[in-house]
Amino acid sequence: MKSIPSLRRQLLAWLLLPQLVLWLVGGALTYRIALISAEKALDQSLLQSVRSLARQVKPIGSGLLVDFPRAAQAIIEEEPEDRVNYMVSSPPGRFLIGNLSFAEPPLPLRPGTPAVYRTEQNGRTMRAVVLDLPYGEGDAQLLRVQLAKSYVARDRIARELIADLLAPLLVLGLLLSLLVHAGIKRGMQPLTRLEIQLQQRSPQDLTPLELTTAPREVHTLLIAINRLLASVARNMVQEKRFINDAAHQLRTPLAGLISQTELALEEESPELIKVRLQKVHAGAQRSAHLLNQLLMLARSGAEVPMQPLDLAQLARAVAREFSPRAVSLGVDLGYEGPEQAWVWVLGSELLLREALGNLIDNALRYGRQEGAGHGESTVTIAVLEHGPRIELRVEDNGPGLDAALRDQAFERFWRGSNLPGGCGLGLSIVQEIARRHGGEALIEAAQPPSKANPGGSGLRVRLLLPRLADASEARA
């Protein structure tokens, strides 16, 4: 099993590793700066020493007087590991005094101006300084004074500087690392508390999580988790409602089917058996219709993808699908709305088609004119534009529904007619689909009240859906 990386370790690595790299780079730069500073101090010391030594050699007439006591020589040579090599020569290169012979300097010299350079003596790299001084009549002769010193003192000074500088930085780095570790531990506490809350919860507990002292990033995570919990809770409620509704509504039809089959098994007459089987068939159709309605009701509350669609085109297509049935029932099924213009909404074609199909089915089933003396039955599908909202309307000129009963029409399993075939879920499905699309479903009389019909006549069901804001993108 692949190991899961730790967020705390990753944060420590990303915070402490750059700190370590910067400390090492800073140490290297500090050491380099210390070497340069120590070398400058060494050069300054050599320049002072070469001038002091030059003052010990005085011209007298055509000769030179060397005033270099043994005590001064002992001071120069007292440190074996960092002794000073020196030589006085005149003319340059002709040894007068000193403790070591020097080679010719590798750079051009100007009389009276000292020059510093690097040289090799007895296998050791040393820092050397040379000074040419004219003397005698007309400055015709030159006195050369040369000193050289190893880099032991320079390296010692550099090490002392680096120790004095980096030791406090190392202590501060360790303290900073401890503070970073403590800060990360403290910053991870909200996640730890969130983990404890989730571990202590039962699978059935879908209430929102609370973590009021959490930082903004953890609050964002909490919001996402609470949204997920709310979605799961809604789905569980939908599933529970579906199971309860299915168990409640299918119990009676299934009992009827069982009783009809038992009676059919006891019958001996083929005609009576056929009658029983016809009742079984009708009961099975009702059960299948009820089950389909329950499934659609459960689907309408689930998460479904939304996409731009032309509501007018969808209405025309569904009207064409129901035209053969309307003709067979003697109902004039018509469409009113734009034929060419686009009427865009953001929705699910499957759900909106189901909602419109339920409305047309109800209108064809319960909205027809019955009996002699009544006019022609009509069902009209309309798509209307009302500014930011689009109206999808289905109305009929049938007997309608009493005003006192219209508020109950959207309740589950409520039926306003005793005609066979319905199960009382059609308008509930329409309302759920309208809410799922951010709209609403309304029911009213198709014709205004009159003396003959105080409650109005016919029935009109309206779906008000929000218009798609940017129709140009949908058209593209």
Side-chain angles (χ1 to χ4, degrees):
M1 182 179 178
K2 187 177 179 180
S3 60
I4 301 176
S6 170
L7 178 60
R8 181 174 301 176
R9 292 181 181 177
Q10 289 183 0
L11 289 175
L12 283 173
W14 281 107
L15 290 175
L16 296 182
L17 284 180
Q19 175 186 330
L20 177 61
V21 171
L22 291 176
W23 190 87
L24 293 176
V25 173
L29 292 176
T30 303
Y31 184 69
R32 179 62 181 169
I33 294 173
L35 286 177
I36 295 174
S37 300
E39 191 169 274
K40 289 181 179 179
L42 177 61
D43 293 346
Q44 190 67 27
S45 174
L46 287 173
L47 289 173
Q48 292 178 358
S49 298
V50 77
R51 288 191 177 96
S52 297
L53 184 58
R55 285 194 294 268
Q56 305 304 317
V57 181
K58 303 177 179 62
I60 299 178
S62 60
L64 294 171
L65 174 62
V66 179
D67 185 10
F68 194 50
R70 292 293 303 176
Q73 182 179 357
I75 292 174
I76 293 177
E77 300 176 356
E78 69 176 349
E79 190 173 349
E81 295 182 357
D82 194 23
R83 63 183 298 176
V84 177
N85 296 330
Y86 65 96
M87 184 182 80
V88 178
S89 60
S90 180
R94 183 178 178 183
F95 185 86
L96 292 179
I97 59 173
N99 58 6
L100 190 67
S101 297
F102 281 72
E104 186 70 18
L107 42 82
L109 301 175
R110 288 193 306 170
T113 303
V116 181
Y117 61 97
R118 187 186 295 263
T119 184
E120 295 286 338
Q121 291 183 355
N122 297 331
R124 299 176 65 183
T125 301
M126 306 187 74
R127 193 71 171 172
V129 60
V130 58
L131 175 62
D132 285 350
L133 297 173
Y135 71 95
E137 297 179 358
D139 296 339
Q141 301 184 54
L142 288 177
L143 173 68
R144 174 169 292 177
V145 182
Q146 293 174 275
L147 279 88
K149 193 173 184 180
S150 69
Y151 286 97
V152 173
R154 184 205 66 170
D155 294 341
R156 183 178 63 253
I157 293 173
R159 287 194 298 270
E160 291 175 355
L161 286 175
I162 200 71
D164 293 340
L165 291 174
L166 291 186
L169 290 178
L170 179 60
V171 174
L172 291 176
L174 292 176
L175 291 177
L176 180 60
S177 301
L178 293 176
L179 291 176
V180 168
H181 183 271
I184 291 177
K185 184 178 180 180
R186 182 177 179 84
M188 295 288 290
Q189 286 179 356
L191 290 178
T192 304
R193 292 197 297 269
L194 178 60
E195 178 184 1
I196 294 174
Q197 284 191 35
L198 291 175
Q199 288 178 349
Q200 293 177 348
R201 282 191 168 220
S202 64
Q204 291 77 24
D205 187 4
L206 299 177
T207 56
L209 297 170
E210 294 184 2
L211 203 61
T212 56
T213 59
R216 181 182 303 173
E217 291 77 9
V218 179
H219 268 295
T220 305
L221 177 61
L222 279 175
I223 291 173
I225 294 177
N226 287 336
R227 286 177 180 172
L228 178 61
L229 291 176
S231 178
V232 173
R234 287 195 302 270
N235 290 337
M236 290 184 65
V237 169
Q238 292 288 340
E239 292 179 2
K240 186 176 181 179
R241 182 183 297 177
F242 170 77
I243 293 173
N244 292 337
D245 291 344
H248 179 268
Q249 295 300 321
L250 290 176
R251 184 183 297 113
T252 300
L254 290 177
L257 290 175
I258 293 174
S259 62
Q260 291 295 332
T261 53
E262 289 177 349
L263 292 175
L265 291 174
E266 295 175 359
E267 294 290 349
E268 296 181 357
S269 172
E271 294 181 357
L272 294 178
I273 294 176
K274 183 178 180 180
V275 172
R276 297 298 182 188
L277 290 178
Q278 287 175 346
K279 292 183 179 181
V280 169
H281 179 70
Q285 285 185 327
R286 287 193 299 270
S287 299
H289 177 67
L290 173 61
L291 185 58
N292 290 332
Q293 294 287 74
L294 287 172
L295 289 174
M296 179 52 63
L297 190 62
R299 186 184 302 171
S300 65
E303 296 293 332
V304 293
M306 298 289 183
Q307 61 184 4
L309 56 90
D310 182 5
L311 192 60
Q313 181 182 4
L314 177 65
R316 293 193 299 268
V318 177
R320 285 193 295 267
E321 293 176 2
F322 279 86
S323 292
R325 179 181 169 188
V327 172
S328 65
L329 294 175
V331 178
D332 181 14
L333 178 62
Y335 167 78
E336 294 180 0
E339 293 289 343
Q340 301 296 331
W342 288 283
V343 182
W344 293 104
V345 296
L346 186 65
S348 167
E349 181 178 355
L350 175 65
L351 295 183
L352 290 177
R353 182 183 291 272
E354 180 67 21
L356 184 56
N358 280 338
L359 294 180
I360 298 175
D361 179 74
N362 282 347
L364 294 177
R365 189 185 302 270
Y366 307 114
R368 288 179 292 165
Q369 297 281 359
E370 300 289 348
H374 293 283
E376 183 182 13
S377 298
T378 61
V379 174
T380 303
I381 306 168
V383 176
L384 307 174
E385 301 182 62
H386 301 291
R389 299 207 292 183
I390 305 297
E391 178 183 346
L392 178 62
R393 173 191 299 177
V394 176
E395 67 177 57
D396 59 66
N397 63 343
L401 191 64
D402 291 341
L405 300 177
R406 290 171 193 161
D407 293 337
Q408 306 177 34
F410 293 111
E411 295 180 3
R412 293 187 176 192
F413 306 110
W414 183 88
R415 299 188 62 195
S417 173
N418 294 323
L419 293 176
C423 58
L425 287 175
L427 291 178
S428 297
I429 293 174
V430 171
Q431 186 185 51
E432 289 288 342
I433 293 175
R435 291 174 178 174
R436 182 67 181 83
H437 287 76
E440 59 178 339
L442 304 175
I443 187 170
E444 60 189 26
Q447 298 296 328
S450 61
K451 292 182 178 181
N453 294 302
S457 61
L459 196 66
R460 177 188 297 149
V461 182
R462 305 165 61 203
L463 265 68
L464 298 177
L465 305 175
R467 180 195 294 269
L468 185 62
D470 193 352
S472 60
E473 293 184 4
R475 192 179 297 111

